[in-house]
Amino acid sequence: MRTVFTGIPEAPAAPDVAVVVDVMRAFTVAAAALRRGAERIVFAGTRREALALKARNPGWLAFQDGAPEPGFDLANSPARLRSLDVRGRTIVQKTTAGTTGALAVADAGLVLCASFPVAGATAEVLRRAGAQTVTFVVTGGDGRAEEDLACAEYIAARVRAPGTDPGPYLERARRSAAAAELAEAVRRGWTGVHPQDVELCLEADSVPFAMAAARVDGRLELRVVDQPPLGLNSRDEPGR
């Protein structure tokens, strides 16, 4: 498998296979929400769009990054997510890095969204699909975020060697600027973060499914990949 690592601005519009990585915290939250029974996650291009979608669809929830904002139900914290009942709900998500990266490669043949919790399952999807070239979109820090790059490299390594030890990759993420920023936000008592967020973002291979995004009725939706594909069928909607 040939791998390409890129930031959002340099990402090709329609690669054959794209793995969009956001460890802290968009796709850790997304994985946790889907594991807790959310039906799907709809990516919004702007916060205004996210709130408009929520307003037009009673029962939908809206998540964003940064400080909590009126109208949003969660400020992208995996630990604070545990206080929400998301079973059967549709979630609209807008973040600076993760959802932006997914929308940038929305026309890829297969779009997977990843973080450490779903890393092993994501690698299995890539292995079963027989992907020849995979574009990893490192969403943080203009493609230089150490936690996202470490996760992307871990997934690539797991494709080639399923027994790869996540430890060194997790240590890189634990020492990243993003982890330090979250720790500082906790120290300052900022809302929207939780002391357990970093550790939840570093629970490698803790979620038994991967997450695939595809266009549905003009919107990009993220859902669980119930069964890894046996072969890559370009431009078909993956998942369920």
Side-chain angles (χ1 to χ4, degrees), residues 107-231:
D107 293 325
L110 175 64
V111 181
L112 300 173
C113 294
S115 56
F116 275 110
V118 296
T122 302
E124 180 62 18
V125 169
L126 295 173
R127 188 181 308 109
R128 296 283 302 277
Q132 297 300 306
T133 301
V134 177
T135 299
F136 287 91
V137 182
V138 177
T139 61
D142 293 325
R144 297 185 299 274
E146 187 65 15
E147 73 284 0
D148 293 340
L149 182 58
C151 183
E153 292 177 354
Y154 174 56
I155 293 169
R158 279 285 304 256
V159 174
R160 301 182 180 99
T164 297
D165 178 10
Y169 303 92
L170 292 172
E171 186 59 27
R172 288 167 55 190
R174 186 173 283 109
R175 294 177 178 275
S176 68
E181 288 168 6
L182 286 174
E184 176 65 13
V186 169
R187 189 185 69 80
R188 291 176 175 269
W190 292 354
T191 56
V193 296
H194 189 280
Q196 294 180 343
D197 278 352
V198 170
E199 287 308 312
L200 289 175
C201 290
L202 299 179
E203 290 187 346
D205 311 323
S206 59
V207 174
F209 55 76
M211 304 183 295
R215 291 192 186 276
V216 179
D217 297 329
R219 297 191 293 261
L220 191 64
E221 296 187 359
L222 186 70
R223 297 180 185 243
V224 169
V225 179
D226 290 316
Q227 296 293 332
L230 293 174

Side-chain angles (χ1 to χ4, degrees), residues 80-92:
R80 295 189 184 279
L81 173 68
R82 294 179 295 197
S83 66
L84 288 178
D85 183 1
V86 298
R87 289 173 295 180
R89 309 287 286 274
T90 292
I91 295 166
V92 184

Side-chain angles (χ1 to χ4, degrees), residues 1-19:
M1 183 183 78
R2 176 175 175 267
T3 56
V4 176
F5 299 92
T6 181
I8 296 173
E10 300 80 24
D16 288 339
V17 180
V19 179

